[in-house]
Amino acid sequence: GPPPAPPPPPPAVAAPRRRFGGGGGGTGAGREERTFYDEHLSREAVTLSQEEAMRSNRWLRVMPFFLIQGVTGSVYAWSMFNAPLCSQLGTIAPASGDWGLGEVLPIFSVSAAVLGLVTASLGTRIETMGPR
């Protein structure tokens, strides 16, 4: 007889996952479960519609990222600036007018406090904005 027909090709996009049973009353059968990929990384999640693109200023989305990176960098760069700040006048040997560690430590304390405030306030904003 004739050879069997080849199997159909797989669908281009996987069907949404379905959750069966468990949690929230009822059986839950037939409810679609949104995955992390669906909510944050899929093409639909990261692409602005034409209307959204026209009414949004994309620089307002970028600025919180730069602020957090700048503040984080200032805390990590402290080890590079600590020694030069303490030996402002004496480049090779300590001089009498050099700053002590206690005099430059408030700079680091302010930097660390600003890091905490900026990440606490802008971190939640970045999460709600998403990766668009």
Side-chain angles (χ1 to χ4, degrees):
V13 178
R17 294 182 184 170
R18 301 211 179 258
R19 178 187 299 164
F20 296 102
T27 63
R31 277 190 299 172
E32 292 184 7
E33 178 182 339
R34 293 188 53 90
T35 63
F36 179 81
Y37 176 81
D38 294 333
E39 291 184 21
H40 300 289
L41 303 175
S42 67
R43 183 179 193 130
E44 294 79 23
V46 298
T47 307
L48 290 175
S49 69
Q50 228 175 8
E51 295 83 27
E52 288 175 321
M54 294 300 286
R55 69 172 187 246
S56 71
N57 184 352
R58 292 184 185 196
W59 285 108
L60 294 177
R61 292 179 173 273
V62 174
M63 291 310 294
F65 292 100
F66 281 115
L67 286 172
I68 287 179
Q69 290 300 316
V71 172
T72 304
S74 70
V75 172
Y76 283 114
W78 174 254
S79 61
M80 301 278 301
F81 295 117
N82 187 20
L85 283 173
C86 286
S87 63
Q88 180 186 14
L89 300 175
T91 56
I92 296 175
S96 62
D98 286 348
W99 293 339
L101 185 61
E103 294 170 316
V104 296
L105 194 57
I107 300 169
F108 176 76
S109 299
V110 167
S111 178
V114 169
L115 171 66
L117 292 173
V118 167
T119 54
S121 62
L122 293 180
T124 55
R125 173 135 172 86
I126 288 173
E127 286 293 324
T128 59
M129 286 189 314
R132 296 182 180 194

CSV table of all heavy atoms in Angstrom, one decimal, residues 53-91:
chain,number,residue,atom,x,y,z
A,53,ALA,N,3.8,54.3,21.9
A,53,ALA,CA,5.1,54.9,21.4
A,53,ALA,C,4.8,56.4,21.2
A,53,ALA,O,5.7,57.2,21.5
A,53,ALA,CB,5.6,54.2,20.2
A,54,MET,N,3.7,56.8,20.7
A,54,MET,CA,3.4,58.2,20.4
A,54,MET,C,3.2,59.0,21.7
A,54,MET,O,3.6,60.1,21.7
A,54,MET,CB,2.2,58.3,19.5
A,54,MET,CG,2.3,57.7,18.1
A,54,MET,SD,3.6,58.5,17.2
A,54,MET,CE,2.8,60.1,16.8
A,55,ARG,N,2.7,58.4,22.7
A,55,ARG,CA,2.4,59.2,23.9
A,55,ARG,C,3.4,59.0,25.0
A,55,ARG,O,3.3,59.7,26.0
A,55,ARG,CB,1.0,58.8,24.5
A,55,ARG,CG,0.9,57.5,25.0
A,55,ARG,CD,-0.5,57.3,25.7
A,55,ARG,NE,-0.4,56.0,26.4
A,55,ARG,CZ,-1.2,55.0,26.1
A,55,ARG,NH1,-2.1,55.1,25.2
A,55,ARG,NH2,-1.1,53.9,26.8
A,56,SER,N,4.4,58.2,24.8
A,56,SER,CA,5.4,58.0,25.9
A,56,SER,C,6.7,58.6,25.5
A,56,SER,O,7.1,58.6,24.3
A,56,SER,CB,5.6,56.5,26.2
A,56,SER,OG,6.2,55.8,25.1
A,57,ASN,N,7.4,59.0,26.5
A,57,ASN,CA,8.8,59.6,26.3
A,57,ASN,C,9.7,58.5,26.7
A,57,ASN,O,9.8,58.2,27.9
A,57,ASN,CB,9.0,60.8,27.1
A,57,ASN,CG,10.3,61.5,26.8
A,57,ASN,OD1,11.2,60.9,26.2
A,57,ASN,ND2,10.5,62.7,27.3
A,58,ARG,N,10.4,57.9,25.8
A,58,ARG,CA,11.3,56.7,26.2
A,58,ARG,C,12.4,57.1,27.1
A,58,ARG,O,13.0,56.3,27.8
A,58,ARG,CB,11.8,56.0,24.9
A,58,ARG,CG,10.6,55.4,24.2
A,58,ARG,CD,11.1,54.6,23.0
A,58,ARG,NE,9.9,54.1,22.3
A,58,ARG,CZ,10.0,53.1,21.4
A,58,ARG,NH1,11.1,52.6,21.1
A,58,ARG,NH2,8.9,52.7,20.8
A,59,TRP,N,12.9,58.4,27.0
A,59,TRP,CA,13.9,58.8,27.9
A,59,TRP,C,13.5,58.7,29.4
A,59,TRP,O,14.4,58.5,30.3
A,59,TRP,CB,14.4,60.2,27.6
A,59,TRP,CG,15.2,60.2,26.3
A,59,TRP,CD1,14.9,60.7,25.1
A,59,TRP,CD2,16.5,59.6,26.2
A,59,TRP,NE1,15.9,60.4,24.2
A,59,TRP,CE2,16.9,59.8,24.8
A,59,TRP,CE3,17.4,59.0,27.0
A,59,TRP,CZ2,18.1,59.4,24.3
A,59,TRP,CZ3,18.7,58.6,26.5
A,59,TRP,CH2,19.0,58.8,25.2
A,60,LEU,N,12.2,58.8,29.6
A,60,LEU,CA,11.8,58.7,31.0
A,60,LEU,C,11.9,57.3,31.5
A,60,LEU,O,12.0,57.0,32.7
A,60,LEU,CB,10.3,59.2,31.1
A,60,LEU,CG,10.1,60.7,30.9
A,60,LEU,CD1,8.6,61.0,31.0
A,60,LEU,CD2,10.9,61.5,31.9
A,61,ARG,N,11.9,56.3,30.6
A,61,ARG,CA,12.1,54.9,31.0
A,61,ARG,C,13.6,54.6,31.2
A,61,ARG,O,14.0,53.8,32.0
A,61,ARG,CB,11.6,54.0,29.9
A,61,ARG,CG,10.1,54.0,29.8
A,61,ARG,CD,9.7,53.0,28.6
A,61,ARG,NE,8.3,52.9,28.6
A,61,ARG,CZ,7.6,52.0,29.3
A,61,ARG,NH1,8.3,51.2,30.1
A,61,ARG,NH2,6.3,51.9,29.2
A,62,VAL,N,14.5,55.4,30.5
A,62,VAL,CA,15.9,55.1,30.6
A,62,VAL,C,16.6,55.7,31.8
A,62,VAL,O,17.5,55.2,32.4
A,62,VAL,CB,16.6,55.5,29.3
A,62,VAL,CG1,18.1,55.4,29.4
A,62,VAL,CG2,16.1,54.8,28.1
A,63,MET,N,16.1,56.9,32.2
A,63,MET,CA,16.7,57.7,33.3
A,63,MET,C,16.8,56.9,34.6
A,63,MET,O,17.9,57.0,35.3
A,63,MET,CB,16.0,59.0,33.5
A,63,MET,CG,16.3,60.0,32.3
A,63,MET,SD,18.0,60.1,31.9
A,63,MET,CE,18.6,60.9,33.3
A,64,PRO,N,15.8,56.2,35.1
A,64,PRO,CA,15.9,55.5,36.4
A,64,PRO,C,17.1,54.4,36.3
A,64,PRO,O,17.8,54.2,37.3
A,64,PRO,CB,14.6,54.8,36.6
A,64,PRO,CG,13.6,55.6,35.8
A,64,PRO,CD,14.4,56.1,34.6
A,65,PHE,N,17.3,53.8,35.2
A,65,PHE,CA,18.3,52.8,35.0
A,65,PHE,C,19.7,53.5,35.2
A,65,PHE,O,20.6,53.0,35.9
A,65,PHE,CB,18.3,52.1,33.7
A,65,PHE,CG,17.1,51.2,33.5
A,65,PHE,CD1,15.9,51.6,32.8
A,65,PHE,CD2,17.0,49.9,34.1
A,65,PHE,CE1,14.8,50.8,32.7
A,65,PHE,CE2,15.9,49.1,33.9
A,65,PHE,CZ,14.8,49.6,33.2
A,66,PHE,N,19.9,54.6,34.5
A,66,PHE,CA,21.1,55.3,34.6
A,66,PHE,C,21.4,55.8,36.1
A,66,PHE,O,22.5,55.8,36.5
A,66,PHE,CB,21.2,56.5,33.6
A,66,PHE,CG,21.5,56.1,32.3
A,66,PHE,CD1,20.6,56.2,31.2
A,66,PHE,CD2,22.8,55.5,31.9
A,66,PHE,CE1,20.9,55.8,30.0
A,66,PHE,CE2,23.1,55.1,30.7
A,66,PHE,CZ,22.1,55.2,29.7
A,67,LEU,N,20.3,56.3,36.7
A,67,LEU,CA,20.5,56.8,38.1
A,67,LEU,C,20.9,55.7,39.0
A,67,LEU,O,21.9,55.9,39.8
A,67,LEU,CB,19.2,57.4,38.6
A,67,LEU,CG,18.8,58.8,38.0
A,67,LEU,CD1,17.4,59.2,38.4
A,67,LEU,CD2,19.9,59.8,38.5
A,68,ILE,N,20.3,54.5,38.9
A,68,ILE,CA,20.7,53.4,39.8
A,68,ILE,C,22.1,53.0,39.5
A,68,ILE,O,22.9,52.7,40.4
A,68,ILE,CB,19.6,52.3,39.7
A,68,ILE,CG1,18.4,52.7,40.4
A,68,ILE,CG2,20.2,51.0,40.3
A,68,ILE,CD1,17.3,51.7,40.3
A,69,GLN,N,22.5,52.9,38.2
A,69,GLN,CA,23.8,52.5,37.9
A,69,GLN,C,24.9,53.5,38.4
A,69,GLN,O,25.9,53.1,38.8
A,69,GLN,CB,23.9,52.3,36.3
A,69,GLN,CG,23.2,51.1,35.8
A,69,GLN,CD,23.7,49.8,36.4
A,69,GLN,OE1,24.9,49.5,36.6
A,69,GLN,NE2,22.7,49.0,36.9
A,70,GLY,N,24.6,54.7,38.2
A,70,GLY,CA,25.5,55.8,38.7
A,70,GLY,C,25.7,55.7,40.2
A,70,GLY,O,26.8,55.8,40.7
A,71,VAL,N,24.6,55.6,40.9
A,71,VAL,CA,24.7,55.5,42.4
A,71,VAL,C,25.4,54.3,42.9
A,71,VAL,O,26.3,54.3,43.7
A,71,VAL,CB,23.3,55.7,43.0
A,71,VAL,CG1,23.4,55.4,44.5
A,71,VAL,CG2,22.7,57.0,42.7
A,72,THR,N,25.1,53.1,42.2
A,72,THR,CA,25.8,51.9,42.5
A,72,THR,C,27.3,52.0,42.2
A,72,THR,O,28.1,51.5,43.0
A,72,THR,CB,25.2,50.7,41.8
A,72,THR,OG1,23.8,50.7,42.0
A,72,THR,CG2,25.8,49.4,42.2
A,73,GLY,N,27.6,52.6,41.1
A,73,GLY,CA,29.0,52.7,40.7
A,73,GLY,C,29.8,53.6,41.7
A,73,GLY,O,31.0,53.4,42.0
A,74,SER,N,29.1,54.6,42.3
A,74,SER,CA,29.8,55.5,43.2
A,74,SER,C,30.2,54.7,44.5
A,74,SER,O,31.3,55.0,45.0
A,74,SER,CB,29.0,56.7,43.5
A,74,SER,OG,27.9,56.3,44.3
A,75,VAL,N,29.4,53.8,44.9
A,75,VAL,CA,29.7,53.1,46.1
A,75,VAL,C,30.9,52.1,45.8
A,75,VAL,O,31.8,51.9,46.6
A,75,VAL,CB,28.5,52.3,46.7
A,75,VAL,CG1,28.8,51.4,47.8
A,75,VAL,CG2,27.5,53.3,47.2
A,76,TYR,N,30.8,51.4,44.7
A,76,TYR,CA,31.8,50.5,44.3
A,76,TYR,C,33.2,51.2,44.0
A,76,TYR,O,34.2,50.6,44.2
A,76,TYR,CB,31.4,49.6,43.1
A,76,TYR,CG,30.5,48.5,43.5
A,76,TYR,CD1,29.2,48.5,43.0
A,76,TYR,CD2,30.9,47.5,44.4
A,76,TYR,CE1,28.3,47.5,43.4
A,76,TYR,CE2,30.0,46.5,44.7
A,76,TYR,CZ,28.7,46.5,44.3
A,76,TYR,OH,27.8,45.5,44.6
A,77,ALA,N,33.1,52.4,43.5
A,77,ALA,CA,34.3,53.1,43.1
A,77,ALA,C,35.0,53.8,44.4
A,77,ALA,O,36.1,54.3,44.2
A,77,ALA,CB,34.0,54.2,42.1
A,78,TRP,N,34.3,53.7,45.5
A,78,TRP,CA,34.9,54.3,46.7
A,78,TRP,C,36.3,53.9,47.0
A,78,TRP,O,37.2,54.6,47.4
A,78,TRP,CB,34.0,54.1,47.9
A,78,TRP,CG,34.6,54.6,49.2
A,78,TRP,CD1,35.1,53.9,50.2
A,78,TRP,CD2,34.7,56.0,49.5
A,78,TRP,NE1,35.6,54.7,51.1
A,78,TRP,CE2,35.4,56.0,50.8
A,78,TRP,CE3,34.4,57.2,48.9
A,78,TRP,CZ2,35.7,57.2,51.4
A,78,TRP,CZ3,34.7,58.4,49.5
A,78,TRP,CH2,35.3,58.4,50.8
A,79,SER,N,36.5,52.6,46.8
A,79,SER,CA,37.9,52.1,47.1
A,79,SER,C,39.0,52.7,46.2
A,79,SER,O,40.1,52.8,46.6
A,79,SER,CB,37.9,50.5,47.0
A,79,SER,OG,37.6,50.2,45.6
A,80,MET,N,38.6,53.2,45.1
A,80,MET,CA,39.5,53.8,44.2
A,80,MET,C,39.8,55.3,44.7
A,80,MET,O,40.9,55.8,44.5
A,80,MET,CB,39.0,53.9,42.7
A,80,MET,CG,38.7,52.6,42.1
A,80,MET,SD,40.1,51.8,41.5
A,80,MET,CE,40.7,52.9,40.3
A,81,PHE,N,38.8,55.9,45.3
A,81,PHE,CA,39.0,57.3,45.6
A,81,PHE,C,39.4,57.5,47.1
A,81,PHE,O,39.8,58.6,47.5
A,81,PHE,CB,37.7,58.1,45.4
A,81,PHE,CG,37.3,58.2,44.0
A,81,PHE,CD1,36.1,57.6,43.6
A,81,PHE,CD2,38.1,58.8,43.1
A,81,PHE,CE1,35.7,57.7,42.2
A,81,PHE,CE2,37.7,58.9,41.8
A,81,PHE,CZ,36.5,58.3,41.3
A,82,ASN,N,39.4,56.5,47.9
A,82,ASN,CA,39.7,56.6,49.3
A,82,ASN,C,41.1,57.0,49.5
A,82,ASN,O,41.4,58.0,50.2
A,82,ASN,CB,39.4,55.3,50.0
A,82,ASN,CG,39.5,55.3,51.5
A,82,ASN,OD1,39.4,56.4,52.1
A,82,ASN,ND2,39.7,54.2,52.1
A,83,ALA,N,42.0,56.3,49.0
A,83,ALA,CA,43.5,56.6,49.2
A,83,ALA,C,43.8,58.0,48.6
A,83,ALA,O,44.5,58.8,49.3
A,83,ALA,CB,44.3,55.5,48.6
A,84,PRO,N,43.4,58.4,47.4
A,84,PRO,CA,43.8,59.7,46.9
A,84,PRO,C,43.1,60.8,47.7
A,84,PRO,O,43.8,61.9,47.9
A,84,PRO,CB,43.2,59.7,45.5
A,84,PRO,CG,43.1,58.3,45.1
A,84,PRO,CD,42.9,57.6,46.3
A,85,LEU,N,41.9,60.6,48.3
A,85,LEU,CA,41.4,61.7,49.1
A,85,LEU,C,42.1,61.8,50.4
A,85,LEU,O,42.3,62.9,50.9
A,85,LEU,CB,39.9,61.3,49.4
A,85,LEU,CG,38.9,61.6,48.3
A,85,LEU,CD1,37.5,61.1,48.7
A,85,LEU,CD2,38.8,63.1,48.0
A,86,CYS,N,42.6,60.7,51.0
A,86,CYS,CA,43.3,60.8,52.2
A,86,CYS,C,44.7,61.4,52.0
A,86,CYS,O,45.3,61.9,53.0
A,86,CYS,CB,43.4,59.4,52.9
A,86,CYS,SG,41.9,58.8,53.6
A,87,SER,N,45.3,61.2,50.9
A,87,SER,CA,46.6,61.8,50.6
A,87,SER,C,46.6,62.9,49.6
A,87,SER,O,47.2,62.9,48.6
A,87,SER,CB,47.6,60.7,50.2
A,87,SER,OG,47.2,60.1,49.0
A,88,GLN,N,45.8,63.9,49.9
A,88,GLN,CA,45.6,65.0,49.0
A,88,GLN,C,46.8,65.8,48.8
A,88,GLN,O,47.2,66.2,47.6
A,88,GLN,CB,44.4,65.9,49.5
A,88,GLN,CG,44.2,67.1,48.5
A,88,GLN,CD,43.2,68.0,49.1
A,88,GLN,OE1,42.9,68.0,50.3
A,88,GLN,NE2,42.7,68.9,48.3
A,89,LEU,N,47.6,66.1,49.8
A,89,LEU,CA,48.7,66.9,49.7
A,89,LEU,C,50.0,66.1,49.6
A,89,LEU,O,50.9,66.5,48.8
A,89,LEU,CB,48.8,67.9,50.9
A,89,LEU,CG,47.6,68.8,51.1
A,89,LEU,CD1,47.8,69.6,52.4
A,89,LEU,CD2,47.5,69.8,49.9
A,90,GLY,N,50.2,65.1,50.3
A,90,GLY,CA,51.4,64.3,50.3
A,90,GLY,C,51.2,63.2,49.3
A,90,GLY,O,50.5,62.2,49.5
A,91,THR,N,51.8,63.3,48.1
A,91,THR,CA,51.6,62.3,47.1
A,91,THR,C,52.4,61.0,47.3
A,91,THR,O,51.9,59.9,47.0
A,91,THR,CB,52.0,62.8,45.7
A,91,THR,OG1,53.3,63.3,45.7
A,91,THR,CG2,51.0,64.0,45.3
